[in-house]
Amino acid sequence: MKKSWRRPPPRTKQFLDDVYGELCSYKNLEKAFNKARKGKTQKDYVIEFEENLKENLLQLRSELIFYTYKPRKLKTFILRDPKTRKISKSNFRDRVVHHAICNIIAPFYNKRFISDSFANRIGKGTINAIKRFDQFKRKASKNNTIKCYVLKADIRHYFDTVNHEVFLKILKERVRDERLIWLIKIILKNHKTSVKGKGMPLGKIGKCSETV
C-alpha cells in the first residue's frame, strides 16, 4: 500500500532579523494608524492627523528609513481609577510608530507563549481568561467541594520601573535586527524618570513589553 506524503508543519521562526524594512513600509504604518485611532476617532489629535494622513505617514516613513525619527515629549498626568497612577502618554504620531513595531514583534512572540497567557493577545482577553480560570477552579476545588486558594499579584509601578538594560538584553535574545533595537532604544530613552535607564511610556509599546 502506497503511503501518502504529508508536508511537515512549518518550523517556528527562531529569530527576528531583517524586519525593519517591513516595519517602515507604508502598508504597515497605515495598519498601525488604524489600530492607534481605534476608539478615538472623535479626538482632535486623531482628526488633525487624519486630515493629511498620507503626508503624515510618508513623513514618518521617511524619518524611520533615514534614522531621523525622534519621539515627541511625553504628556504626564495623574490618574485615579481608583488607585493613583502617574501616566506618561505618547504623542499620537508616536503611538502609530508603537503599533508599527508591535505589528512586527507581537505575532513572533505570540507563538512562544503558553496557552494560558491571556493579556494583550488577539483571541484571548479577560472573558476567556475568566472561563479558563473557572476550569482550573473546578478542578482544584473538585467541583467546589473543597477549599482552594488564588494568588493575586501585580507588579508595582511597572511602567515606571522597567529596567532598559534588562529589557533590551531579553529582547536581543530573539531580535537580531539592530535597526529595530535602535528604534526601541530611542522610544525608551524618551521616557524620563527620577532614575535614569528605567521606565517606558504607557501604550501599545508598553503592553508589548509586558508580554516579552
Side-chain angles (χ1 to χ4, degrees), residues 173-189:
E173 290 176 0
R174 295 288 181 182
V175 179
R176 301 295 173 85
D177 193 324
E178 288 298 324
R179 299 165 297 178
L180 177 52
I181 295 295
W182 163 81
L183 180 57
I184 293 172
K185 274 183 180 179
I186 65 170
I187 291 172
L188 293 177
K189 286 180 181 178

Side-chain angles (χ1 to χ4, degrees), residues 1-129:
M1 181 178 178
K2 190 176 180 181
K3 293 183 178 179
S4 60
W5 181 82
R6 287 186 179 181
R7 183 185 297 274
R11 293 181 61 185
T12 301
K13 192 176 181 181
Q14 297 301 308
F15 304 105
L16 268 181
D17 49 14
D18 198 22
V19 293
Y20 194 72
E22 182 184 353
L23 187 153
C24 299
S25 70
Y26 187 88
K27 182 179 179 181
N28 186 48
L29 291 174
E30 187 175 39
K31 181 180 179 182
F33 162 74
N34 287 325
K35 287 184 176 181
R37 76 189 283 271
K38 190 175 181 180
K40 303 177 181 69
T41 55
Q42 300 305 312
K43 297 287 186 181
D44 291 341
Y45 55 81
V46 176
I47 295 171
E48 183 181 352
F49 191 93
E50 196 167 9
E51 281 177 352
N52 297 292
L53 179 60
K54 187 174 182 179
E55 291 82 355
N56 286 327
L57 292 182
L58 287 174
Q59 178 62 35
L60 265 182
R61 184 171 187 268
S62 177
E63 291 176 20
L64 291 169
I65 289 173
F66 293 104
Y67 311 110
T68 59
Y69 168 74
K70 291 183 180 178
R72 304 278 172 87
K73 186 177 180 180
L74 298 172
K75 182 180 179 181
T76 302
F77 56 94
I78 302 300
L79 182 67
R80 295 177 175 85
D81 64 339
K83 66 180 182 180
T84 301
R85 292 188 295 160
K86 181 183 176 183
I87 304 297
S88 295
K89 186 179 179 181
S90 298
N91 186 277
F92 181 72
R93 80 190 299 266
D94 296 322
R95 278 181 263 166
V96 172
V97 175
H98 298 177
H99 277 278
I101 294 172
C102 291
N103 286 345
I104 302 299
I105 67 174
F108 174 80
Y109 279 99
N110 189 56
K111 295 175 183 177
R112 285 167 172 75
F113 296 149
I114 63 170
S115 179
D116 292 321
S117 176
F118 285 85
N120 305 312
R121 296 179 67 191
I122 295 173
K124 296 287 186 174
T126 306
I127 301 300
N128 287 322

Side-chain angles (χ1 to χ4, degrees), residues 158-174:
Y158 170 75
F159 289 106
D160 275 338
T161 58
V162 173
N163 186 299
H164 296 179
E165 188 176 340
V166 173
F167 174 63
L168 288 168
K169 183 180 178 182
I170 294 171
L171 206 60
K172 287 179 181 179
E173 290 176 0
R174 295 288 181 182

